[in-house]
Amino acid sequence: MTIRDQQREKVVALLAAHLLETGLTRISLRQLAEAAQVSDRMLLYYFPDKASVLASALERAAGQLATRLEELVPEGTCLKPAVLMSRLAALTTQEDLRPVMRMWVEVVAAARREEPFKTIAAGILEGFRQWLMPRLDLPDDERRDATTLAILAFVDGLALIDICAGGDAATRAADVAGLLFCK
Amino acid sequence: MTIRDQQREKVVALLAAHLLETGLTRISLRQLAEAAQVSDRMLLYYFPDKASVLASALERAAGQLATRLEELVPEGTCLKPAVLMSRLAALTTQEDLRPVMRMWVEVVAAARREEPFKTIAAGILEGFRQWLMPRLDLPDDERRDATTLAILAFVDGLALIDICAGGDAATRAADVAGLLFCK
DNA sequence: GATGCCGTGTAGCGGTCGCTACAGAATCGC
DNA sequence: GCGATTCTGTAGCGACCGCTACACGGCATC
């Protein structure tokens, strides 16, 4: 492990925390460098360009969510849509995961317009889709695919509500999820 | 109506169309001016600053959605959550309204970090909430509030799916909405 | 001790950003 | 016709952007 690799590791960890805290606001190279406690010159020594810096840091940050999801619904579990939906809604509106979800909304919005976010967002969504689908207790494949997408839509939509109307509103919406959906 | 007012009107119309087409990508003053077929100098003559330009144009663009919603569910209508939800989902995933929804996602994401988007987004969401609530056939006020937010979350989430996974995926998710929710 | 890669700081390139100073053109009331 | 007000083009300010050229010290190898 060279010094360069160690620094990359440290930088990625610091930047993931920075992005979760500030979102995609302060993401100029100079601002990222400050957050990572290195010079901007060195950031571009550790990484080929800004896109790579961001991709690494975002990937790291998104990992937090994946870990928590796996804890909540371990592999092999298979649940009815209503149950899975309300569990996921409850998890993602928890205080400590809200920054991840808010960041996710920003990444998707950025994905509409520019690389590297397009690739990053598509990859992350596809990952969650693959994770969710086998945990969904539905016989029909086509129906399971559509329901997976619908659950993801609802959960992601809660993050939008969170940003616009505050965490309380998102929590209230998450709470009715269980009642709203067919058992 | 002074020349200035006429120009303002023309500029707002052109910019609303521009923003729906390109999203929030090309929104530097010089790029907005080009889309509005005036010089950047004049843009800041018609409006006090960039924030006002954007606010006016975004408001105009969002108006399209409001009009279509009113046509779909006129005042006085009162529907069960499942019906309202699937109608709104079907409407907002229609080809011609997707640009509005995609833009909405971008506005919310920007709202996390900067004015004027914060104010604009909060205002627009509150508007839709006020619109939706009385059209929801639920006796309990608290429950109606939460369900309103949940419906908005789902519909907005569909826009996120649209951006990440394409319109087809969003449409499929919208289609199962009717089946997924309690009658 | 010469050679050469690794790590780092300084300084700055060419560009875009939001915004403005200034002067000239057009249009108005009189 | 004339002064005043309204409109518009030019040109540029200072700040920030992503990125890079270049020089330099340290370390390893031979």
Side-chain angles (χ1 to χ4, degrees):
Chain A
M1 184 109 150
T2 66
I3 295 181
R4 182 178 170 137
D5 289 335
Q6 292 174 336
Q7 284 288 70
R8 274 181 64 110
E9 176 57 31
K10 174 192 151 196
V11 161
V12 166
L14 283 170
L15 286 187
H18 171 72
L19 290 180
L20 284 179
E21 190 183 350
T22 67
L24 303 191
T25 321
R26 306 175 61 81
I27 56 165
S28 82
L29 268 179
R30 286 166 176 86
Q31 290 165 335
L32 289 177
E34 190 189 339
Q37 298 170 19
V38 295
S39 72
D40 60 326
R41 167 67 185 74
M42 292 316 296
L43 219 46
L44 291 175
Y45 176 67
Y46 304 136
F47 298 87
D49 54 23
K50 186 190 172 184
S52 299
V53 179
L54 279 178
S56 301
L58 288 175
E59 204 175 322
R60 172 72 57 99
Q64 293 193 10
L65 179 57
T67 307
R68 298 288 295 278
L69 284 174
E70 194 59 33
E71 286 173 17
L72 184 76
V73 188
E75 193 158 11
T77 320
C78 203
L79 301 168
K80 290 282 175 196
V83 180
L84 198 45
M85 172 95 87
S86 60
R87 276 207 204 174
L88 293 184
L91 180 73
T92 56
T93 52
Q94 272 179 22
E95 195 65 34
D96 61 332
L97 280 183
R98 272 182 214 163
V100 188
M101 297 306 291
R102 285 197 287 254
M103 197 191 73
W104 168 235
V105 173
E106 291 188 81
V107 171
V108 174
R112 189 188 167 185
R113 47 183 189 260
E114 50 184 341
E115 292 295 351
F117 300 106
K118 222 163 177 164
T119 317
I120 297 173
I124 293 179
L125 185 77
E126 191 54 28
F128 285 126
R129 212 169 134 181
Q130 299 296 340
W131 178 88
L132 189 52
M133 198 123 63
R135 287 167 175 77
L136 203 50
D137 184 9
L138 279 175
D140 179 14
D141 271 5
E142 203 172 317
R143 175 91 180 267
R144 195 162 72 238
D145 167 70
T147 307
T148 300
L149 288 167
I151 291 176
L152 287 174
F154 182 69
V155 169
D156 292 347
L158 289 174
L160 270 148
I161 300 293
D162 176 27
I163 293 176
C164 270
D168 283 353
T171 307
R172 268 179 281 145
D175 287 344
V176 292
L179 301 171
L180 207 52
F181 295 87
C182 299
K183 291 283 178 284
Chain B
M1 183 113 147
T2 66
I3 293 182
R4 182 176 170 139
D5 288 336
Q6 292 174 336
Q7 283 289 70
R8 273 181 66 110
E9 175 57 31
K10 173 192 152 195
V11 162
V12 167
L14 282 170
L15 285 186
H18 171 72
L19 290 179
L20 285 179
E21 191 184 350
T22 67
L24 302 191
T25 322
R26 305 175 60 80
I27 57 164
S28 83
L29 268 180
R30 287 164 175 85
Q31 290 164 337
L32 289 177
E34 190 190 340
Q37 299 170 18
V38 296
S39 72
D40 60 327
R41 170 65 186 74
M42 292 316 296
L43 219 46
L44 291 175
Y45 177 66
Y46 304 136
F47 298 87
D49 54 24
K50 185 190 173 184
S52 300
V53 179
L54 279 178
S56 301
L58 288 174
E59 204 175 320
R60 172 70 58 96
Q64 294 193 9
L65 179 56
T67 306
R68 299 288 295 277
L69 284 174
E70 194 59 34
E71 286 173 16
L72 185 75
V73 188
E75 193 158 9
T77 321
C78 202
L79 301 168
K80 291 284 176 196
V83 180
L84 199 45
M85 172 93 87
S86 59
R87 276 206 204 176
L88 293 184
L91 181 73
T92 57
T93 51
Q94 274 179 20
E95 194 65 34
D96 60 332
L97 281 184
R98 272 181 214 162
V100 188
M101 296 306 293
R102 284 196 289 254
M103 196 191 74
W104 169 237
V105 172
E106 291 187 81
V107 171
V108 173
R112 188 187 167 186
R113 48 184 189 259
E114 50 185 342
E115 292 295 353
F117 300 106
K118 223 163 179 164
T119 316
I120 297 173
I124 293 179
L125 185 77
E126 190 54 28
F128 285 126
R129 211 168 136 182
Q130 298 298 340
W131 179 87
L132 189 52
M133 199 123 63
R135 288 169 174 75
L136 204 49
D137 184 10
L138 280 174
D140 179 13
D141 271 5
E142 203 172 316
R143 176 90 181 269
R144 196 163 70 240
D145 167 71
T147 307
T148 300
L149 288 167
I151 292 177
L152 287 174
F154 182 68
V155 169
D156 292 347
L158 289 174
L160 269 149
I161 300 293
D162 176 26
I163 293 176
C164 271
D168 283 354
T171 306
R172 267 178 283 144
D175 287 344
V176 291
L179 301 171
L180 206 53
F181 294 89
C182 301
K183 291 286 179 282

